[in-house]
Amino acid sequence: MFGLERYRPIVDDWEAFRAALFRPQPATIRANALKTTPEALRRALEALGFALTPAPFDPALFTIDAPPIPPGKTVLHWLGHFYVQEAAAALPVLALAPEPEERVLDLAAAPGGKTTQIAERMGDRGLVVGNDPDGARLQSLLANVYRLGTTAVAVTRQDGRRLSGGRPFDRVLVDAPCTAEGNVRRRAGARRTRSPGEHRRLAALQTALLERGVALARDGGVVVYSTCTFAPEENEAVVDAVVRKAGGAVRIEPLPEGLPGVPGLEAWEGARYVPEMVLTRRIYPHHLDSGGMYIARLRRLAPPPWADRLPPSPGARGAGLERPDPALVRALLDGFRDRFGLPPTALEGLTFFVRGGDVWATRLADVPDGPELVAAGIRLFRLQPGEGKMPSPGPLRNAKPTSFALLHFAQEARANVADVDAEALLALLEGRRIAPPAAAALERGFVALRFRGTVIGLGHLDADGLRSGLPRGRAEDLRAALLEERALHEAP
Ligand code: SAM
């Protein structure tokens, strides 16, 4: 097997480490504080037959032993009540300890487990920039931001080594690409032996990313470096190189109290690291019955020698985010509230942007626009100039609300709400039209679909009946979750 054999001298309990690698890894989930509480989530999942054990270091995290169905295939997951995140992967954000109203950068963010965790811990208040250069992985990041309903996240697509400067960040997470040896339990590929060249090549990228992270932080700001690999070349050696090169501008700090793991290495294969390296943390699979992780928490004390190499921020024009005409925003909001009988407070406190034919809403007052910007907040409307494809009376005539607008901002809907049961919902999700629920007073046009008391997205009513307006991928996922849950209920 066992490229990992070289770690025998440094792992605290080799037999436990080995045994953990060959055991299946239990699932862990993180309750989304923006949608639920850990207690409510636990009750709801236990009602489905899941057994949840809270993590000792974070009440929002639960281990699930022997899940009756994959937790990611439940309706609650689809609704954004939790994120499937392994226990060790939750630790870097606990080390970062972001606060509401701060400016936080996640330099290597996709698929967004930590970006969304940061936004949750900030109560969705402040700015979280989630950056990644990989277009396909960015789609997963966006899907997670939308599903979990975080409005404080701006997503950028850029090589993190070149991410442009602007107002400095209070905190920066550099969750670097790595050889992922800590994922061996999940991915057999991670079990193959890594060559010294591979570690070296990644270490060069990791060092450049960490340097950039430090350059983008403010003086006094916190930078957390993390990987999911055991290789000291990608962990302590990277932190050591950056701290030494910073010449006093960066200091290693202890992690917050109560986090698991063992101290970072003082030396490896002849190299000696700065003595403070013991303040960094190694988490091995047997510590939390999870994957592996390495975490270093740094504080920027002064500009590092490389800070003056930052290209300036491209300024406000960048990607073409436009502030829409206030009259358009008013018409959209009035139309949305009227249509669904929402109180005047619905959608309050959001800032709107137009890009392409779409209207986005974010809590960010200060969106860091630039050519790399992909999204800010959540897409709420699609403008359909001229003849609307889904005409609806009133000011919404030429704009279509997204299903995420309904899911995240229309739970108090009192008008044009169609309550559907599982049978009706399955039919809608399969693309069929159904007769509208008899009891509901529905006008033709946009309708809020509600299932088990929760508004789940957009429907549309016309002379031929009611049909789903959920995007295809989301509809397929919800259908799969409903069928899984149904099979669970019917199981003997
Ligand atoms: N933080 C993510 C999470 O919690 O979901 C996981 C990040 S993963 C360990 C590392 C990420 O680094 C990958 O998504 C990869 O696309 C990204 N990456 C690779 N090269 C990069 C670069 N030059 N700049 C920024 N990110 C990069």
Side-chain angles (χ1 to χ4, degrees):
M1 102 139 202
F2 207 34
L4 302 184
E5 193 69 39
R6 73 187 190 118
Y7 304 129
R8 190 189 273 262
I10 57 169
V11 171
D12 55 330
D13 182 342
W14 181 249
E15 285 317 313
F17 176 83
R18 258 188 81 102
L21 294 183
F22 288 102
R23 270 200 311 271
Q25 186 170 325
T28 49
I29 60 169
R30 184 187 82 232
N32 175 9
L34 307 178
K35 291 282 163 197
T36 187
T37 61
E39 299 72 39
L41 178 66
R42 183 181 187 159
R43 273 196 306 277
L45 284 174
E46 284 179 349
L48 280 173
F50 288 83
L52 278 69
T53 312
F57 54 88
D58 184 354
L61 275 186
F62 294 97
T63 302
I64 302 183
D65 277 314
I69 55 175
K73 294 217 164 136
T74 55
V75 174
L76 282 171
H77 179 267
W78 188 91
L79 290 170
H81 287 214
F82 65 91
Y83 188 94
V84 179
Q85 181 176 46
E86 64 171 82
L91 296 173
V93 172
L94 303 187
L96 189 70
E99 302 273 349
E101 309 297 349
E102 288 185 329
R103 297 168 58 82
V104 181
L105 168 64
D106 186 355
L107 195 60
K114 299 182 187 71
T115 307
T116 50
Q117 188 185 5
I118 290 168
E120 287 161 27
R121 295 192 77 85
M122 291 166 62
D124 206 26
R125 300 201 321 271
L127 166 67
V128 188
V129 174
N131 175 72
D132 206 283
D134 183 321
R137 291 177 64 93
L138 271 186
Q139 291 310 311
S140 308
L141 169 63
L142 287 170
N144 282 320
V145 166
Y146 298 159
R147 180 176 63 84
L148 295 169
T150 58
T151 60
V153 175
V155 174
T156 60
R157 180 178 184 177
Q158 175 65 282
D159 184 329
R161 292 169 292 186
R162 286 187 275 282
L163 194 68
S164 44
R167 242 177 89 196
F169 290 93
D170 299 301
R171 294 176 206 257
V172 178
L173 176 63
V174 182
D175 187 40
C178 67
T179 44
E181 292 168 334
N183 291 346
V184 292
R185 299 175 70 183
R186 282 191 291 137
R187 285 197 280 125
R191 214 166 270 180
R192 85 188 155 79
T193 307
R194 299 295 185 157
S195 71
E198 239 173 317
H199 290 304
R200 265 201 309 278
R201 183 183 61 75
L202 276 163
L205 171 60
Q206 291 155 344
T207 306
L209 287 172
L210 180 53
E211 284 184 10
R212 189 49 142 219
V214 171
L216 293 166
R218 67 168 165 83
D219 290 347
V222 172
V223 179
V224 164
Y225 176 75
S226 56
T227 74
C228 57
T229 202
F230 308 120
E233 297 87 341
E234 301 178 49
N235 293 331
E236 286 88 347
V238 168
V239 173
D240 186 72
V242 172
V243 168
R244 284 179 198 270
K245 191 170 164 187
V250 170
R251 176 179 77 200
I252 301 177
E253 283 196 341
L255 268 53
E257 286 287 308
L259 300 187
V262 292
L265 304 178
E266 292 168 272
W268 169 256
E269 292 187 343
R272 278 213 81 74
Y273 304 130
V274 295
E276 298 75 28
M277 203 56 75
V278 293
L279 299 176
T280 70
R281 196 72 57 95
R282 293 183 149 256
I283 296 96
Y284 293 124
H286 57 286
H287 293 154
L288 294 174
D289 205 4
S290 71
M293 209 76 207
Y294 171 77
I295 305 170
R297 177 175 152 121
L298 311 177
R299 187 161 307 258
R300 170 174 155 155
L301 304 173
W306 58 87
D308 53 1
R309 284 193 268 119
L310 277 188
S313 165
R317 282 166 51 82
L321 273 192
E322 286 166 32
R323 293 281 189 143
D325 176 359
L328 169 73
V329 172
R330 253 197 321 277
L332 286 175
L333 295 189
D334 287 349
F336 189 71
R337 292 176 188 135
D338 283 0
R339 178 76 193 166
F340 299 112
L342 290 163
T345 48
L347 293 167
E348 226 178 28
L350 294 167
T351 306
F352 292 85
F353 293 93
V354 180
R355 188 164 168 213
D358 296 329
V359 180
W360 305 74
T362 165
R363 283 193 209 284
L364 306 171
D366 157 31
V367 176
D369 196 9
E372 60 267 10
L373 190 78
V374 174
I378 294 180
R379 191 167 59 194
L380 287 196
F381 299 100
R382 181 153 272 180
L383 299 175
Q384 307 181 130
E387 287 302 301
K389 286 194 201 100
M390 296 176 76
S392 209
L396 278 186
R397 194 174 53 249
N398 291 326
K400 177 181 165 185
T402 66
S403 278
F404 288 114
L406 275 301
L407 173 62
H408 297 306
F409 298 103
Q411 287 306 328
E412 297 168 88
R414 296 280 172 274
N416 291 306
V417 182
D419 280 293
V420 288
D421 62 16
E423 276 318 307
L425 182 55
L426 278 170
L428 290 171
L429 297 173
E430 283 159 12
R432 283 182 273 146
R433 283 174 197 267
I434 61 167
L442 301 176
E443 297 163 32
R444 287 187 185 179
F446 300 131
V447 165
L449 298 177
R450 193 162 58 192
F451 176 60
R452 296 182 190 155
T454 301
V455 171
I456 56 167
L458 186 70
H460 188 251
L461 180 69
D462 61 21
D464 298 323
L466 179 64
R467 65 183 159 87
S468 157
L470 287 163
R472 187 182 304 161
R474 287 279 291 166
E476 280 166 8
D477 290 349
L478 181 55
R479 178 172 175 275
L482 285 169
L483 292 176
E484 286 277 357
E485 289 189 12
R486 172 185 283 185
L488 191 59
H489 287 307
E490 286 167 1

